[in-house]
Amino acid sequence: MIEMVIDARRKDLGGFEVGRVLPFHARRMVGPFIFLDQMGPAEFVAGAEGINVRPHPHIGLSTLSYLFEGEIMHRDNTGAVQAIRPGEVNWMTAGKGIVHSERTDPLKRSTGGPMHGMQAWVALPEEAEDVDPSFHHHGEDDQPAYENGGLFARLVAGEAYGAKAAVPTSSPLFYVHWELGEGVRTTPPPGQGVAGGYSERALYVARGEIEVGDRTFHEGQMIVLEPTAEPTVRAVKPSTVMVLGGEPVGPRLIWWNFVASSQERIDAAKADWQAGRMALPVGDDEEFIPLPDAPSTPEPAPAPVKPDPTDPV
């Protein structure tokens, strides 16, 4: 019932570690999810820099930020300025192009504190790749939740278990946060062949340890399920699990922070950022991340499924 297991690769982003799960060389996407990072867990001491991601551009995707602990301040060139806190959702749709930054507020930086969360990118379907950029913030009340017998489940985005979250998605998907007490059993949304099921699904263990079938998995592992699998998941010890998936939107190129169905779109975005044609966020326009050095020639035909050596921010 398990198609693949992906171990998060730990990366130091300058005093702050993330676990990079997607894209993976043998599995670029799960449904429309093309990028997944676990941020932390970390404990920032008073006066530490915290999160400090300078303004940078995106095209062709929606970003989804979700925290277990801590706080991040978002700014983008649509005019949005929004702090995100645990249980809330920041959903930013880049479409034809957006520029944003993510930083720790100076007051939070002075006091320090924990940071733990997830950052996901969702590739847009072709008909939505060139939509106008937008930003939506959703509090806990916008996300259907269920709690009983040691299980807490929150539908962060999309549709699952007969419920629908408020996040304005562009293609069929689901993203669920589970908190499982020791010994608790539950099941992911149904797979292919079941009414309302999804063809691609995965579980990511952000904390703890779970059993899927007769195998045990620990923090930092993604379990990609076979399309028709209907497993029961059991928490070996208290665990935090993100459950995600949906329907594929087709092959995608990913270069730096750009996601697109064609090389032409990526080349145009590179030229726009290099030439300064993409506005910086109001209130955070003193600096930005420059375009990485990269070959100017297009990637070969199989590029949609070929990993790119340039890491996203």
Side-chain angles (χ1 to χ4, degrees):
M1 69 176 70
I2 295 171
E3 186 176 294
M4 181 182 299
V5 177
I6 301 172
D7 291 309
R9 289 87 68 202
R10 302 301 295 180
K11 299 179 70 69
D12 189 335
L13 299 185
F16 179 66
E17 273 201 347
V18 300
R20 184 143 300 165
V21 189
L22 295 175
F24 183 59
H25 69 89
R27 182 76 191 216
R28 300 288 283 159
M29 302 170 71
V30 175
F33 288 85
I34 194 168
F35 177 92
L36 188 71
D37 263 3
Q38 179 178 359
M39 302 181 289
E43 184 73 31
F44 295 128
V45 299
E49 187 173 89
I51 302 292
N52 193 27
V53 181
R54 293 170 290 160
H56 57 280
H58 291 283
I59 65 166
L61 55 80
S62 291
T63 66
L64 193 162
S65 300
Y66 184 79
L67 299 182
F68 309 122
E69 295 182 286
E71 179 181 310
I72 300 174
M73 180 62 71
H74 166 97
R75 287 182 172 85
D76 68 46
N77 62 355
T78 72
V81 179
Q82 178 66 58
I84 179 174
R85 300 178 179 90
E88 301 175 345
V89 174
N90 275 3
W91 177 267
M92 183 185 76
T93 296
K96 61 187 177 185
I98 200 168
V99 180
H100 80 124
S101 64
E102 291 180 305
R103 303 185 189 261
T104 299
D105 181 87
L107 179 59
K108 290 288 184 182
R109 196 174 298 163
S110 68
T111 58
M115 173 58 61
H116 191 198
M118 304 296 299
Q119 179 76 257
W121 294 0
V122 177
L124 295 172
E126 285 192 48
E127 63 271 17
E129 283 187 288
D130 289 325
V131 298
D132 290 333
S134 61
F135 176 83
H136 298 268
H137 174 80
H138 295 279
E140 294 181 74
D141 291 344
D142 289 338
Q143 303 161 63
Y146 170 85
E147 188 167 10
N148 186 46
L151 165 67
F152 171 80
R154 175 182 287 132
L155 180 60
V156 177
E159 297 185 52
Y161 305 115
K164 183 175 182 179
V167 168
T169 56
S170 299
S171 66
L173 65 87
F174 68 92
Y175 194 41
V176 176
H177 169 200
W178 283 345
E179 289 291 334
L180 307 173
E182 183 177 340
V184 169
R185 298 175 185 268
T186 188
T187 57
Q192 184 175 295
V194 177
Y198 292 96
S199 60
E200 298 190 2
R201 298 163 298 153
L203 312 165
Y204 179 71
V205 185
R207 179 182 65 95
E209 189 174 303
I210 63 172
E211 285 180 350
V212 182
D214 59 356
R215 298 174 63 181
T216 302
F217 303 94
H218 56 75
E219 178 178 330
Q221 291 189 303
M222 170 177 274
I223 304 101
V224 181
L225 300 173
E226 291 185 347
T228 59
E230 301 297 340
T232 295
V233 177
R234 187 182 79 88
V236 178
K237 55 187 178 181
S239 299
T240 301
V241 180
M242 301 305 291
V243 194
L244 64 144
E247 298 308 314
V249 293
R252 287 294 183 272
L253 293 160
I254 179 170
W255 187 90
W256 191 37
N257 303 311
F258 304 141
V259 169
S261 60
S262 70
Q263 185 66 42
E264 290 73 21
R265 279 191 169 96
I266 288 180
D267 288 342
K270 290 162 67 174
D272 286 343
W273 186 242
Q274 185 74 24
R277 290 190 288 266
M278 301 175 77
L280 297 175
V282 174
D284 196 351
D285 56 1
E286 298 290 320
E287 59 179 349
F288 60 88
I289 300 176
L291 192 76
D293 294 332
S296 58
T297 54
E299 297 184 29
V305 293
K306 179 181 179 181
D308 190 281
T310 306
D311 279 329
V313 169

